[in-house]
Amino acid sequence: MARTGFSDSKPLLDLHKKSCCPPQADERRAPLRTWANACGPVDRWQPAEAEESRMVPVRMEPDCRWDRSLLMRTSEGIIMGFHEDGGKHSADVEEHMLLYRHGLRGLHSLQTLVPSLLRHEVETALEKLGLAWDRSYAWDMFLIMMRTQTGNSFPNADLPRHFTDITRAVLVDWLIQVHESLHFQDETLYLAIHLVNCSLRQIKVTTVNLQLLGMVCLFLAAKKEECLLPEVSGLCLLMDHAYTRNQLLRMERKVFSGLKFNLSFCPPLHFLLLFSSVARCSANVVWMAHYLLELSLLEVQCVVFLPAQLAGAALCLSRKVLQEPLTPEGEAAWCLASSIHVGSETALLRIMHILANAASKAHIRETCATFVKFSSPEKMCVSRHPGLKTAHALLGVCT
């Protein structure tokens, strides 16, 4: 796992065939800069239609959290902005949440916009997704999600001077492969990448120890999100024993202290599931949005945006790509869901531009773990959708 060679088109994230062969004695850990294959880009684009003749028609069963197969398609919805009010509120008045993008202000609660409808949909969605154990607290949890996410973004996308965007992308791509091989929850991956972004800004890390930092962040995220943890010796094996057990534990203490023991993070995946549930999105739309959202982990420009902004942009772009037919119910549901989006329309379009560009080139990039991961039938082969390959068409929508 320490090496991430993409010299051929064989999927590296095969869920059905696990390689258990020990590393050869004469092998050495490749430096971080050589994890991505040094050869030229390989076109891994294989349209899903080309394999349909060899596949037996099977009804796919996506994750139960995403199985909302209701029709949805509409035109541009209402985009709202989140407003943080530091004052105290009574029990009868909700926090200030939404502002019309056209400048109308003074909405003292969400109920002023849509009387109890949005609140009912949010509570129902959180309960069905398993994000709220008690429905009576679901709305309060949603308000906390919206309020605390402002601390999960960064003022700029600058990295330490001895790191580059490509170096970070190679590290994230490797972590995606390790995360997949360990069968961790999706939330663990998003938290691990968030911890990497924070650690690069809080502590001093050399290029030699960058792989160790990534593994430690994944280990810390697993301690927060997972029920079963791998052995430390197993993590060292995944790094080809380039680091010792003591080095890993020392780096863990260093990262934990640098983060001031703060592992709180509301991943954009939670907002994506919430928005798609309120908007009555089909399984295809959600899987496509999930793919686009995971591509955002590789893009350093995306660290400046809020999790809700990333989720909203991924869902909007997913609907643009798939072009599902219109239904009156879906149009109304989408307008309701789009009212939760945070920030300006300009920011939303900028994120869509970044994601569209990343999706159009994902099949020829060296850091293609996400493309391979979402090209499997279990994930409806969304990464090979023909609409993603035409970059100019996607970017034309976003500009």
Side-chain angles (χ1 to χ4, degrees):
M1 293 303 299
R3 303 183 189 181
T4 311
F6 298 110
S7 57
D8 54 21
S9 60
K10 181 180 178 182
L12 302 179
L13 299 176
D14 193 342
L15 300 179
H16 306 289
K17 297 179 182 179
K18 296 298 179 181
S19 175
C20 301
C21 300
Q24 300 297 329
D26 57 345
E27 291 184 352
R28 293 291 184 267
R29 180 180 68 91
L32 179 63
R33 63 178 178 274
T34 64
W35 287 352
N37 192 5
C39 64
V42 179
D43 193 342
R44 300 170 184 82
W45 190 269
Q46 297 178 356
E49 291 77 10
E51 298 182 358
E52 290 181 355
S53 59
R54 296 180 294 171
M55 297 175 59
V56 178
V58 178
R59 182 180 179 182
M60 303 307 302
E61 295 292 339
D63 194 309
C64 60
R65 295 183 301 174
W66 305 335
D67 193 12
R68 298 296 302 276
S69 302
L70 300 177
L71 296 178
M72 182 278 302
R73 178 67 175 86
T74 186
S75 57
E76 293 296 329
I78 305 172
I79 302 175
M80 301 297 178
F82 178 74
H83 174 64
E84 176 66 27
D85 192 347
K88 298 182 179 179
H89 304 272
S90 64
D92 299 330
V93 181
E94 303 295 343
E95 282 84 351
H96 292 254
M97 290 285 300
L98 303 180
L99 301 177
Y100 281 105
R101 65 175 179 180
H102 298 297
L104 178 61
R105 299 177 183 272
L107 294 177
H108 296 287
S109 67
L110 292 175
Q111 295 177 350
T112 306
L113 178 63
V114 276
S116 72
L117 179 59
L118 181 59
R119 176 168 182 166
H120 176 269
E121 289 293 330
V122 168
E123 290 176 346
T124 302
L126 290 176
E127 186 178 26
K128 288 185 177 180
L129 294 171
L131 299 178
W133 294 102
D134 191 338
R135 186 187 178 92
S136 59
Y137 296 101
W139 184 250
D140 292 331
M141 293 179 61
F142 171 69
L143 296 178
I144 293 174
M145 289 172 59
M146 298 294 290
R147 183 168 57 249
T148 58
Q149 67 166 337
T150 56
N152 297 329
S153 60
F154 300 92
N156 55 68
D158 297 338
L159 293 171
R161 61 180 182 179
H162 50 286
F163 295 121
T164 64
D165 297 353
I166 298 178
T167 304
R168 179 189 174 277
V170 171
L171 175 64
V172 172
D173 186 78
W174 179 74
L175 287 176
I176 291 173
Q177 298 178 65
V178 175
H179 169 271
E180 187 74 5
S181 67
L182 294 175
H183 301 284
F184 283 161
Q185 299 292 328
D186 293 324
E187 290 84 354
T188 304
L189 175 63
Y190 286 88
L191 176 58
I193 304 304
H194 175 70
L195 296 180
V196 169
N197 295 331
C198 293
S199 299
L200 290 176
R201 291 163 173 79
Q202 297 295 333
I203 63 177
K204 293 183 179 180
V205 181
T206 62
T207 306
V208 176
N209 291 327
L210 188 58
Q211 184 183 15
L212 179 61
L213 173 66
M215 181 61 78
V216 165
C217 290
L218 183 63
F219 191 36
L220 288 174
K223 287 185 176 182
K224 183 176 183 292
E225 300 290 348
E226 303 293 334
C227 297
L228 299 176
L229 295 175
E231 295 289 341
V232 175
S233 58
L235 299 180
C236 294
L237 177 62
L238 292 174
M239 294 185 291
D240 202 12
H241 294 289
Y243 309 96
T244 65
R245 181 177 183 274
N246 290 334
Q247 285 179 309
L248 191 147
L249 296 178
R250 283 199 298 269
M251 178 63 74
E252 182 185 24
R253 291 192 293 269
K254 182 178 180 181
V255 171
F256 215 11
S257 300
L259 297 175
K260 298 180 181 179
F261 307 94
N262 180 18
L263 300 182
S264 62
F265 178 63
C266 185
L269 181 62
H270 286 178
F271 288 101
L272 174 62
L273 297 176
L274 175 61
F275 296 163
S276 61
S277 181
V278 174
R280 309 293 198 274
C281 292
S282 66
N284 283 330
V285 171
V286 179
W287 278 116
M288 178 65 74
H290 189 188
Y291 168 60
L292 295 171
L293 191 61
E294 191 159 312
L295 284 179
S296 70
L297 298 177
L298 297 166
E299 305 298 324
V300 70
Q301 310 99 301
C302 291
V303 301
V304 301
F305 300 107
L306 299 176
Q309 289 178 317
L310 295 172
L315 197 58
C316 286
L317 186 57
S318 174
R319 294 176 64 251
K320 290 286 187 181
V321 172
L322 297 177
Q323 292 291 314
E324 291 193 348
L326 274 169
T327 62
E329 296 81 3
E331 184 174 1
W334 174 254
C335 289
L336 186 63
S338 61
S339 67
I340 310 176
H341 296 175
V342 176
S344 64
E345 186 176 7
T346 302
L348 187 65
L349 294 177
R350 182 183 172 193
I351 301 172
M352 292 173 65
H353 182 93
I354 296 173
L355 298 182
N357 184 61
S360 65
K361 300 178 181 178
H363 61 289
I364 60 174
R365 285 184 174 178
E366 298 170 348
T367 53
C368 65
T370 299
F371 175 84
V372 175
K373 177 180 176 181
F374 283 86
S375 64
S376 63
E378 291 83 0
K379 293 177 173 57
M380 298 186 175
C381 303
V382 292
S383 65
R384 292 184 291 169
H385 190 280
L388 295 173
K389 191 176 182 180
T390 311
H392 61 85
L394 294 177
L395 297 178
V397 171
C398 304
T399 54

